[in-house]
Amino acid sequence: MYFKKATIKKLFKDAGASRVSNKALLLFQDMIEKQAYKTAVKSVNLSKHAKRKTVEESDIKLAASSD
């Protein structure tokens, strides 16, 4: 797991939730991590396509907007 449950819980609290079930936290954590990984892979591929070793902000923005 890349994101801690406490971080996810804080996100929900900041969004206005008073309580969040453990199953909901785990599901949301899984969803966020899958999406983040998918965006990271696309970003890396975009930087490689541009013949760069460094992933740049524009790669991430483009990868995220293509979803």
Side-chain angles (χ1 to χ4, degrees):
M1 296 286 179
Y2 295 102
F3 299 98
K4 294 180 181 180
K5 282 197 307 186
T7 303
I8 308 280
K9 193 172 188 176
K10 181 171 180 355
L11 179 72
F12 274 98
K13 294 282 185 179
D14 290 348
S18 56
R19 295 173 60 179
V20 184
S21 74
N22 193 47
K23 283 186 178 183
L25 285 174
L26 291 174
L27 175 63
F28 197 76
Q29 183 181 31
D30 185 55
M31 290 171 55
I32 287 175
E33 289 180 355
K34 284 179 181 176
Q35 185 61 42
Y37 183 79
K38 195 164 110 176
T39 303
V41 168
K42 285 182 181 180
S43 300
V44 169
N45 288 336
L46 287 167
S47 68
K48 285 180 180 178
H49 179 73
K51 296 182 170 91
R52 287 185 275 105
K53 291 183 179 181
T54 304
V55 176
E56 295 183 356
E57 181 181 357
S58 59
D59 300 323
I60 296 170
K61 286 181 178 180
L62 187 58
S65 69
S66 68
D67 287 339

